[in-house]
Amino acid sequence: MLVACSPGEIKQEINGKKETVKGFNVKLQDTILFPEGGGQPDDHGLIGDVPVLRVTRQGAEAVHFVSSALEVGQEVQLKVDWERRFDHMQQHSGQHLITAIAESMFGYKTTSWELGRQRSTIELDTPSMKPAQMEALEAAVNEKIRAHVPVAVQVLSLDDPALEQVRSRGLPDDAAGPIRIIDIEGIDVNMCCGTHVSNLSHLQVIKLLGTEKGKKNKTNLLFLVGNRVLKYAEKSYSTERSLVSLLKTGPDDHVDTVDKIQKTVKGLQKSNLGLLRDVAVLIETLVFLTVGEEKGPGLFLLAGPSGKVSELGPRVLEMLQGKGAGKNGRFQGKVNSMARRGEVETLIQEHCKNEQ
């Protein structure tokens, strides 16, 4: 039964930007939709035919955010987005398994975790994790999956002595009611409010992607579980086929081929930079060439920026007692005497200095 409906708003990512979405907060007598918490995102689904965009927890109650108002007092039917729910079940149960085995094998405790949209992260209390350790951990968790280990849910009261044997990172300040325990038979017993599989075989497979440096001497372990591994493999294969087409080599040669391409590009970039410098010098420089005896007749060429050549060309002709003409940044002529060549060079140098 729908017991409350009031105006509300949420922040939602739309086209990569956080935007405020106005709607209504709905409370139900009971719900099958999981509110976000414990590192796990919320469920999505339907109340009747109205989409539930977010589910949050307020004390012992779940608040469902919808885009349109619903009538209080009516009986409603709920439907969960099962694909999203099962994905979260796989990732969350997978996290419990990885956490338990990492602690039993290496003594690395989990200090936090995040269920991401594409991959999930476990923060381990260790400054680093060796590749051999990660390989051994991955083999161990997948062995447990193949062993078809049951996963059970227990509900204990706050004063139950059995809670002392349960792994926990603490309860939220507004926790209410009995304590829910997830028991992976013979492997782990942990307080948790999230959704889980009933048997480790439902996880299908776990892939540890690698590690990243975390905060304060911690290590972030990246992982995928179940259907996410299949999607990752499908995407990787698609990328591989595209690279085969682009690089014209087999998958085993992709790294070497790309490395060679990068080195070639770097060489070309260096060569192009040199050419650009040469061009820049030529664009800004006047070139004065002469052929002939030191004080006898000869030929000359003045080349460079058109404006400078047009201005200086006639003066050079006059100083060298010659005849000639020029256009498009080139002025050449035949002269009677090269005796004043030094004066011409000084004239050109002074002109260039004054232009700077």
Side-chain angles (χ1 to χ4, degrees):
M1 178 182 291
L2 199 148
V3 297
C5 180
S6 60
E9 61 182 38
I10 60 171
K11 293 287 186 180
Q12 195 170 43
E13 189 172 309
I14 300 175
N15 297 325
K17 294 182 179 180
K18 287 282 187 179
E19 296 187 13
T20 299
V21 177
K22 294 187 180 296
F24 296 86
N25 291 322
V26 171
K27 293 182 181 180
L28 304 171
Q29 192 173 19
D30 199 359
T31 185
I32 61 171
L33 301 182
F34 175 76
E36 59 187 359
Q40 179 178 325
D42 56 347
D43 280 338
H44 288 174
L46 298 173
I47 298 178
D49 58 357
V50 177
V52 177
L53 305 179
R54 178 133 344 137
V55 188
T56 54
R57 184 176 65 84
Q58 291 182 0
E61 294 183 313
V63 179
H64 310 70
F65 182 82
V66 296
S67 58
S68 55
L70 296 171
E71 182 182 349
V72 174
Q74 65 173 315
E75 296 286 339
V76 292
Q77 185 175 33
L78 298 181
K79 182 177 181 181
V80 66
D81 179 342
W82 178 249
E83 183 178 354
R84 178 181 172 91
R85 160 72 73 84
F86 186 63
D87 172 56
H88 292 172
M89 289 165 60
Q90 286 189 319
Q91 310 316 308
H92 203 159
S93 296
Q95 176 265 314
H96 278 223
L97 178 59
I98 296 168
T99 288
I101 301 299
E103 185 169 348
S104 65
M105 289 181 71
F106 310 117
Y108 299 159
K109 293 184 179 295
T110 291
T111 49
S112 68
W113 88 290
E114 179 184 10
L115 199 167
R117 291 183 181 179
Q118 297 183 335
R119 62 185 187 183
S120 298
T121 306
I122 295 174
E123 183 184 72
L124 295 173
D125 191 15
T126 176
S128 64
M129 189 173 191
K130 297 177 181 178
Q133 291 178 310
M134 193 167 68
E135 184 177 344
L137 177 59
E138 182 176 279
V141 295
N142 281 293
E143 182 181 353
K144 297 300 182 183
I145 292 173
R146 291 190 294 272
H148 205 265
V149 178
V151 180
V153 176
Q154 302 177 36
V155 179
L156 303 178
S157 62
L158 281 170
D159 58 356
D160 194 316
L163 286 177
E164 296 179 6
Q165 308 300 320
V166 175
R167 180 171 60 83
S168 172
R169 295 196 302 273
L171 294 170
D173 294 336
D174 62 347
I179 304 302
R180 190 166 176 268
I181 307 298
I182 302 300
D183 185 352
I184 304 177
E185 188 177 286
I187 299 174
D188 185 51
V189 181
N190 182 30
M191 292 184 192
C192 185
C193 63
T195 57
H196 292 270
V197 298
S198 59
N199 193 287
L200 290 187
S201 63
H202 300 162
L203 300 183
Q204 299 169 280
V205 64
I206 289 177
K207 179 61 187 173
L208 304 183
L209 297 176
T211 60
E212 294 177 349
K213 184 175 177 60
K215 58 185 179 182
K216 298 180 181 178
N217 293 320
K218 305 289 180 65
T219 295
N220 294 330
L221 178 63
L222 312 178
F223 70 95
L224 302 172
V225 184
N227 290 334
R228 291 195 181 192
V229 179
L230 301 180
K231 291 178 180 178
Y232 184 81
E234 181 181 355
K235 184 177 180 180
S236 297
Y237 181 72
S238 176
T239 300
E240 178 183 284
R241 300 314 302 165
S242 296
L243 288 173
V244 167
S245 177
L246 289 169
L247 300 175
K248 309 302 180 186
T249 60
D252 293 342
D253 298 323
H254 285 170
V255 174
D256 288 340
T257 302
V258 171
D259 183 57
K260 290 176 182 177
I261 291 173
Q262 287 182 327
K263 289 178 179 177
T264 300
V265 169
K266 286 181 180 179
L268 290 172
Q269 287 175 336
K270 186 176 181 180
S271 177
N272 287 342
L273 182 59
L275 290 173
L276 287 172
R277 286 173 177 167
D278 291 343
V279 169
V281 169
L282 290 174
I283 289 173
E284 298 297 329
T285 302
L286 284 167
V287 178
F288 179 57
L289 302 174
T290 62
V291 178
E293 297 180 5
E294 186 176 349
K295 295 184 179 181
L299 303 172
F300 80 91
L301 169 67
L302 180 66
S306 296
K308 293 181 180 180
V309 170
S310 298
E311 180 182 348
L312 292 173
R315 297 177 64 181
V316 172
L317 271 181
E318 181 183 350
M319 293 173 70
L320 298 181
Q321 303 173 18
K323 294 182 179 180
K327 63 178 180 179
N328 299 328
R330 294 169 64 90
F331 198 106
Q332 56 192 11
K334 184 177 181 180
V335 301
N336 296 321
S337 174
M338 290 289 182
R340 299 179 66 185
R341 171 179 168 150
E343 296 179 40
V344 172
E345 290 178 353
T346 300
L347 171 68
I348 294 173
Q349 290 171 356
E350 290 296 329
H351 185 84
C352 289
K353 287 182 181 179
N354 294 333
E355 290 290 322
Q356 292 179 350

